[in-house]
Amino acid sequence: MAPTIFLLLALLSIAESTADKGSGLKLELIRRRVSPGNVSPMVAKSQIWPETSEFIVKIAVGTPSTEVHAILDTGSDLFWAQCRPCVKCYQQTNPIYDPSKSSTFRTLSCKSPQCHLRGSGAACSGTDTCKYDYGYESGSTQGELATEKMAVTSRSGATTSFPEVVFGCGHNNSGTFNANEMGLIGFGRGAISFVSQIGPSVGGRKFSLCLMPYNTDPRISSSLSIGSGSEVQGPGVITAQLVRVSHQTYYSLTLTGISVGKTLVPYSMSGPLAKGNTILDTGTPQTLLPKELYGRLAAEVRRHIPSKPIDDTLCYKDNLGDLVMTLHFDGDVDLRLSTVQTFNKMPDGSFCFTAMGVDDNDALIGNSMMANFLVGYDIDNMTVSFKSTDCTKIG
């Protein structure tokens, strides 16, 4: 869920954690389903849910704690939750976090080293409170920045606490969020991201996750690992060097082309490729490709599938054949995709392509196309690793 309005601050310090230094976390990822109308969610291993197309992390906020279910998003940095009093909040099923009832909530002052403003526009109020304004393609959140005690529970049942995590207390929130999504937890490369804040206390700013396919039984969960032990290793691992782009949040790669079977569809038919033209974004379900590239790719997909599509779409009732696609990245890195990653099985039994064309020069690889890969992100070494995995069996 890549931001369109960037956060007007940069963190200059990292919260200390009560976790054992260097000890990683393993959290459960829970999958929840998003209706078609809503498709627009360490080592720390904690619970993650997929919300049909979004994956949700469960985290305890405050003292006494409120359980927050936040969309896991590698395309943004800020962790925020809906927060009372609400100027404008979308409907939420579970109780909204109330900072007035927490003994560990502390708003940040504009003079705080953790509230370092950049860019244009006022981010501080007349009361000297550090404000934030963060936007996405599908919505936005505004409120105040604060520190709060956070806690995550691992698969083993052990709870790890972090006493002063900076987060956004969102009083004005809108977009395509549904009633089960209580906020968003950013896992981008920026200093304010959750993994950047707790990483040094759990063995490093790195994490791995395994996202389940769209049609998986929602009662089945897989794992998010943060810090020590989250490394993706062993036979079959493909590692790519991330590209440093102007936006410090993104996990960016240079996509050179996509093969359908043995037929190569180049990223561009004219001009040099822009470095870092593709980002990995767990907060967006679909893969988004420049329209010109998508048009050529779609034609090739139709040519390779033996059955006829439904109407004028890339949806099929059955018989996708043995379609294999490959993402080609700069540095001779090739990521082979099966129909599990390229087609979602819909409730009516049909299969629909997981990519679409957009008016943009850059591409975005969404969470559907990353299904059944164990993906490891290493911020300090600027690498991302992929390993083909049955994510329903990751414990």
Side-chain angles (χ1 to χ4, degrees):
M1 190 176 292
T4 55
I5 304 173
F6 303 133
L7 185 65
L8 299 178
L9 57 87
L11 284 189
L12 298 181
S13 62
I14 296 176
E16 292 184 357
S17 167
T18 59
D20 292 336
K21 296 295 183 181
S23 176
L25 306 175
K26 285 193 172 184
L27 313 179
E28 187 180 10
L29 289 177
I30 310 300
R31 187 174 66 86
R32 288 188 184 147
R33 300 223 162 175
V34 174
S35 66
N38 283 337
V39 174
S40 30
M42 317 178 244
V43 159
K45 284 194 179 178
S46 98
Q47 293 185 326
I48 300 180
W49 297 285
E51 182 76 28
T52 343
S53 298
E54 302 289 8
F55 291 78
I56 308 298
V57 176
K58 183 169 68 175
I59 188 166
V61 178
T63 308
S65 66
T66 297
E67 188 173 272
V68 171
H69 301 171
I71 298 171
L72 174 67
D73 186 20
T74 58
S76 65
D77 290 324
L78 181 66
F79 172 32
W80 62 270
Q82 294 216 107
C83 196
R84 294 192 183 280
C86 285
V87 176
K88 179 182 179 183
C89 288
Y90 56 85
Q91 184 178 0
Q92 180 175 305
T93 301
N94 293 326
I96 295 176
Y97 165 76
D98 187 346
S100 69
K101 296 181 179 180
S102 173
S103 62
T104 46
F105 176 83
R106 301 287 186 273
T107 57
L108 290 177
S109 164
C110 285
K111 297 178 181 178
S112 166
Q114 295 164 303
C115 184
H116 183 255
L117 302 178
R118 64 180 176 85
S120 61
C124 284
S125 69
T127 57
D128 195 35
T129 300
C130 185
K131 300 288 186 177
Y132 77 89
D133 186 339
Y134 213 98
Y136 309 89
E137 290 287 351
S138 58
S140 64
T141 174
Q142 295 88 35
E144 58 194 0
L145 285 174
T147 60
E148 182 57 288
K149 179 182 178 181
M150 308 282 179
V152 293
T153 301
S154 70
R155 280 182 170 273
S156 65
T159 297
T160 304
S161 297
F162 304 92
E164 293 184 335
V165 177
V166 178
F167 82 114
C169 188
H171 301 296
N172 192 336
N173 318 297
S174 62
T176 58
F177 305 102
N178 67 41
N180 292 318
E181 298 164 349
M182 303 166 67
L184 186 147
I185 185 164
F187 265 64
R189 294 193 299 112
I192 198 175
S193 78
F194 188 74
V195 67
S196 288
Q197 291 192 66
I198 74 165
S201 61
V202 295
R205 296 196 306 157
K206 52 191 173 183
F207 65 98
S208 61
L209 48 86
C210 212
L211 305 184
M212 293 171 286
Y214 182 89
N215 62 334
T216 304
D217 185 333
R219 292 172 296 181
I220 301 174
S221 63
S222 58
S223 293
L224 161 69
S225 296
I226 307 173
S228 177
S230 66
E231 301 84 359
V232 177
Q233 300 172 333
V237 173
I238 297 170
T239 299
Q241 195 69 38
L242 292 166
V243 179
R244 293 188 185 277
V245 294
S246 58
H247 198 303
Q248 65 178 359
T249 298
Y250 296 152
Y251 298 96
S252 300
L253 297 169
T254 303
L255 182 65
T256 61
I258 304 172
S259 288
V260 183
K262 295 182 179 180
T263 304
L264 174 64
V265 180
Y267 189 93
S268 176
M269 297 299 289
S270 62
L273 286 174
K275 295 293 184 181
N277 61 12
T278 301
I279 69 171
L280 306 178
D281 187 357
T282 62
T284 300
Q286 291 172 296
T287 289
L288 309 179
L289 302 174
K291 278 187 175 179
E292 194 274 336
L293 167 60
Y294 177 80
R296 290 184 285 113
L297 179 66
E300 202 59 43
V301 169
R302 289 190 181 97
R303 193 173 73 83
H304 277 74
I305 293 179
S307 58
K308 292 184 178 180
I310 300 172
D311 299 323
D312 189 27
T313 69
L314 274 184
C315 293
Y316 296 83
K317 291 183 178 179
D318 53 26
N319 193 15
L320 296 175
D322 57 354
L323 181 73
V324 173
M325 291 175 53
T326 305
L327 301 178
H328 302 288
F329 297 107
D330 200 18
D332 295 324
V333 175
D334 299 326
L335 188 64
R336 182 184 172 98
L337 308 176
S338 70
T339 52
V340 170
Q341 288 95 25
T342 54
F343 282 85
N344 281 336
K345 186 175 182 180
M346 309 307 287
D348 64 359
S350 64
F351 297 86
C352 291
F353 198 43
T354 57
M356 64 181 293
V358 293
D359 291 318
D360 203 322
N361 293 325
D362 294 332
L364 179 152
I365 298 176
N367 62 45
S368 289
M369 199 166 277
M370 288 186 272
N372 272 5
F373 281 114
L374 179 60
V375 185
Y377 301 79
D378 190 324
I379 296 174
D380 293 324
N381 291 315
M382 285 293 288
T383 60
V384 60
S385 299
F386 303 87
K387 184 176 184 178
S388 182
T389 305
D390 183 349
C391 292
T392 65
K393 296 180 179 179
I394 294 290

